[in-house]
Amino acid sequence: MNLTAFLRLFRILLVFTRYRLDQLIQPLPLPWYGRLMLFGPWKLYPAPRDLSRGLRLRLALESLGPVFIKFGQILSTRRDLLPDDIAIELAFLQDKVPPFPSAEARQRIEEQLGMPIEAVFAEFSDTPLASASVAQVHTALLHDGSDVVVKVVRPGIEEVIHQDIQWLYLAARTLESVSREGRRLRPVEVVRDYEQTIFDELDLYREAANASLLRRNFLGSPVLYVPTIYWDWCRHKVLVMERISGIPVTDIDALRAQGTDMKKLAERGVEVFFSQVFRDSFFHADMHPGNIFVSRHQPQEPQYIAIDFGIVGSLTPEDQTYLARNLMAFFKRDYRRVAQLHIDSGWVPPETRVNEFEAAIRSVCEPIFERPLKDISFGQLLLRLFQTARRFNMEVQPQLVLLQKTLLNIEGLGRQLYPDLDLWSTGKPYLERWMRERAGPRHQLQNLRQHLERIPPLLETTHRALDNIAQRDQHAPARRRRSDALALRVIGVVLVALGANGLGTDMHLWTEAQPMYWLLLAAGGWLTLRRDGDDSNRRTYRPK
């Protein structure tokens, strides 16, 4: 342990003592050796009065600096693990930290670009526009007249992150080793997720690529605008992006003053969410209010502007389908269907008893559905479901955690803009249309084409293997004929599998595609069961 790491540990212990964080772990069922931690020198320090445990934890994380602030923000999204009062308080963590000197920013930019700042920018503001945990942003003007912002990673932040993460791992492993409840919270897993997230955010090339793809997905869209990335001037620690001009989405007074249609603005937020999740399977997973603006143009047809693309999420086609069916089953109160979908998707173990899981889901959902639809929180519904599923050993699904966080942000934002927003009635038509399109012949033909593209390499491999065998045999022509017949049977088996899979997947959902699946099944069966003409007609006679 070097001196810097030791001093950092000392600082962490001082903050731990000042806010009496030992009281947060005191209620946990610790063994005798674990309870020894509660009798440290911090016992002599008086507990802060009139401060809740969540507020004390938030203030402690803010005192420890950028890395712990970011950790608290990510921790706040894990409401499946944390008590509500702590999760809600951590959500108020502000990612605003003092800026580092502009001279250091200039030096890092020049190191990354390999040339003086004046060679790239006609103007460069030394006063930061914004400063966050791992980077800060300056405004600039390119020589072609383009207004841009320059995001630069804090110098030395990598070493600080490495040190702090090691201490977080130490605390997490200690908690897991001394407390059964601590093991349920999976602290090591949480720290590991955080480590991956924060190091991804340090790579601004990755963020630029995320922004570029999201922009392409919404190019020309009236509901969302994504700024242009200037790739010529992007590096791993520097990002140059179009400077946008909009109203912060939380500035309700300014939005109303320009005559913004607040109802349409809230509904378009839901449309953006469903488009990203179901149409594109690529969604901005850090859509807190600080990253969302509203265009000043056409307030009656309001358009969102998104920034900060360091955290994104995606779903597999299987996850998309299961999620859509879950949502539809929820609002039909078909809890057995919800339970079965969780088992079929592998989100809970296959040995889970459907009846018990169904009863647990019903006990969670029925009180929610007694309220008007417009008062039902989508995000809270998913949250309660995941909490219930954890009792049945549901494995943590990182993509679903990001989705839940994004949905909570979108829903909270929409209700702030338009309190009467009915998220279900707004999103249901989009969801139903997506499911119809997935069931339609065009989508099924695309799937079939993707499956058929896998057949030629398989046939080539089969032919090559059988030809190699035939070459070592004196009856090579016969071997080749048999290899051809076997190859056709392989095609038949693949077609049978495709047809059977399609027919066996929720037949009521695939009505339009059923004829195609029956055709695949018939063609595959014929190829599989057919007799080779030469083999069946040829008889070999041996002389007597």
Side-chain angles (χ1 to χ4, degrees):
M1 180 188 299
N2 57 36
L3 179 60
T4 304
F6 178 79
L7 292 176
R8 184 60 173 166
L9 177 61
F10 185 69
R11 166 70 175 160
I12 292 171
L13 291 176
L14 280 179
V15 173
F16 184 91
T17 301
R18 178 184 176 188
Y19 290 100
R20 290 299 305 275
L21 298 186
D22 60 297
Q23 295 182 349
L24 271 67
I25 60 176
Q26 190 170 354
L28 297 178
L30 302 174
W32 66 268
Y33 55 87
R35 303 199 74 81
L36 292 177
M37 294 190 307
L38 303 178
F39 294 96
W42 37 81
K43 273 287 192 182
L44 303 176
Y45 199 89
R49 295 182 177 180
D50 302 325
L51 295 181
S52 67
R53 61 178 184 173
L55 180 56
R56 275 187 281 150
L57 180 58
R58 175 167 71 85
L59 294 175
L61 294 176
E62 288 178 344
S63 300
L64 290 172
V67 177
F68 281 86
I69 290 174
K70 180 67 72 174
F71 178 68
Q73 290 175 334
I74 293 175
L75 196 62
S76 71
T77 67
R78 298 303 302 269
R79 296 196 178 191
D80 55 327
L81 302 179
L82 293 179
D84 285 344
D85 61 320
I86 292 180
I88 291 171
E89 191 63 49
L90 292 183
F92 289 108
L93 280 169
Q94 295 297 311
D95 197 10
K96 295 179 181 178
V97 296
F100 57 89
S102 59
E104 294 183 20
R106 282 177 168 267
Q107 181 181 355
R108 168 150 279 200
I109 293 170
E110 291 180 342
E111 287 174 353
Q112 289 285 303
L113 297 181
M115 60 183 69
I117 276 190
E118 292 75 14
V120 180
F121 305 109
E123 296 178 12
F124 182 85
S125 174
D126 286 327
T127 303
L129 180 66
S131 181
S133 301
V134 299
Q136 72 184 30
V137 176
H138 295 258
T139 59
L141 185 70
L142 293 176
H143 286 292
D144 64 3
S146 301
D147 267 322
V148 296
V149 293
V150 184
K151 186 174 184 178
V152 54
V153 173
R154 287 177 172 270
I157 191 67
E158 295 91 342
E159 182 181 352
V160 174
I161 290 174
H162 275 296
Q163 289 181 2
D164 285 352
I165 282 180
Q166 295 313 308
W167 294 127
L168 286 172
Y169 269 124
L170 177 62
R173 292 190 184 104
T174 302
L175 183 60
E176 277 197 352
S177 64
V178 302
S179 169
R180 183 185 305 169
E181 182 68 13
R183 287 190 290 275
R184 187 191 71 80
L185 298 177
R186 303 188 181 187
V188 173
E189 177 188 290
V190 173
V191 174
R192 189 179 297 117
D193 288 346
Y194 167 64
E195 180 182 23
Q196 180 178 349
T197 298
I198 196 166
F199 278 112
D200 284 349
E201 286 195 63
L202 291 178
D203 186 355
L204 298 187
Y205 253 144
R206 179 188 293 267
E207 179 176 343
N210 293 339
S212 183
L213 177 55
L214 196 62
R215 175 180 171 81
R216 190 160 63 248
N217 289 342
F218 283 87
L219 196 62
S221 169
V223 299
L224 179 67
Y225 182 80
V226 179
T228 302
I229 297 295
Y230 291 86
W231 281 104
D232 289 344
W233 311 119
C234 289
R235 302 293 185 272
H236 287 292
K237 304 300 178 186
V238 172
L239 183 150
V240 178
M241 182 176 69
E242 173 190 359
R243 185 180 183 183
I244 57 97
S245 175
I247 300 173
V249 74
T250 53
D251 193 346
I252 305 297
D253 292 338
L255 291 173
R256 286 176 175 160
Q258 74 164 5
T260 304
D261 186 331
M262 304 299 283
K263 181 176 184 291
K264 182 171 288 189
L265 181 64
E267 291 174 346
R268 286 190 165 184
V270 178
E271 180 182 346
V272 167
F273 171 79
F274 277 95
S275 296
Q276 291 184 41
V277 172
F278 291 103
R279 185 193 68 189
D280 306 325
S281 188
F282 185 80
F283 57 93
H284 191 316
D286 198 17
M287 296 188 72
H288 62 76
N291 289 338
I292 306 296
F293 296 81
V294 179
S295 173
R296 300 180 186 275
H297 306 293
Q298 296 182 313
Q300 291 302 311
E301 296 291 332
Q303 182 186 46
Y304 286 97
I305 305 172
I307 62 171
D308 196 350
F309 310 97
I311 305 176
V312 296
S314 62
L315 299 177
T316 65
E318 293 77 17
D319 281 342
Q320 285 180 309
T321 300
Y322 279 116
L323 181 64
R325 293 179 188 168
N326 265 296
L327 293 177
M328 296 297 290
F330 265 127
F331 284 90
K332 293 177 181 177
R333 303 196 188 192
D334 187 352
Y335 303 126
R336 188 174 187 85
R337 177 78 174 144
V338 174
Q340 190 64 55
L341 282 167
H342 274 68
I343 296 172
D344 293 344
S345 68
W347 294 348
V348 296
E351 63 271 14
T352 302
R353 298 185 64 176
V354 179
N355 290 343
E356 292 180 5
F357 194 21
E358 177 190 2
I361 293 172
R362 184 184 298 109
S363 66
V364 168
C365 295
E366 276 301 312
I368 295 176
F369 284 115
E370 290 304 313
R371 290 177 281 175
L373 274 180
K374 73 179 184 65
D375 295 333
I376 293 176
S377 167
F378 248 159
Q380 291 298 328
L381 187 64
L382 282 181
L383 171 61
R384 299 267 183 97
L385 173 67
F386 293 160
Q387 287 174 334
T388 301
R390 288 298 291 272
R391 288 170 29 212
F392 291 81
N393 298 317
M394 175 177 173
E395 291 295 323
V396 173
Q397 308 286 328
Q399 73 278 18
L400 297 183
V401 171
L402 280 177
L403 179 73
Q404 171 195 306
K405 168 196 170 186
T406 306
L407 182 54
L408 285 168
N409 283 336
I410 290 293
E411 187 173 47
L413 177 61
R415 293 253 164 89
Q416 183 181 0
L417 296 171
Y418 185 70
D420 291 330
L421 175 67
D422 184 341
L423 195 69
W424 177 239
S425 65
T426 304
K428 183 182 177 183
Y430 191 96
L431 196 58
E432 290 177 331
R433 184 169 66 251
W434 178 83
M435 293 180 72
R436 284 196 303 271
E437 291 173 355
R438 294 274 293 186
R442 178 180 298 180
H443 183 80
Q444 297 310 312
L445 285 172
Q446 290 176 352
N447 284 344
L448 177 61
R449 189 158 47 242
Q450 292 174 358
H451 287 298
L452 291 177
E453 286 173 356
R454 301 172 188 170
I455 294 178
L458 178 62
L459 292 178
E460 184 179 349
T461 303
T462 304
H463 268 296
R464 190 181 299 118
L466 293 174
D467 282 345
N468 288 338
I469 295 173
Q471 288 172 6
R472 294 194 296 269
D473 195 291
Q474 58 180 346
H475 303 294
R479 288 283 188 181
R480 288 195 181 93
R481 282 194 296 272
R482 284 195 288 272
S483 74
D484 290 340
L486 181 57
L488 288 175
R489 288 189 174 89
V490 170
I491 296 177
V493 170
V494 172
L495 294 179
V496 168
L498 290 174
N501 180 68
L503 290 172
T505 306
D506 279 343
M507 295 193 64
H508 68 277
L509 190 63
W510 305 101
T511 303
E512 298 179 35
Q514 282 183 13
M516 181 181 66
Y517 286 124
W518 281 113
L519 180 62
L520 288 175
L521 204 59
W526 180 78
L527 288 173
T528 304
L529 300 175
R530 67 186 288 274
R531 297 286 300 275
D532 183 74
D534 292 339
D535 288 346
S536 60
N537 296 327
R538 183 187 298 115
R539 297 180 183 273
T540 303
Y541 295 94
R542 297 179 181 275
K544 295 183 180 180

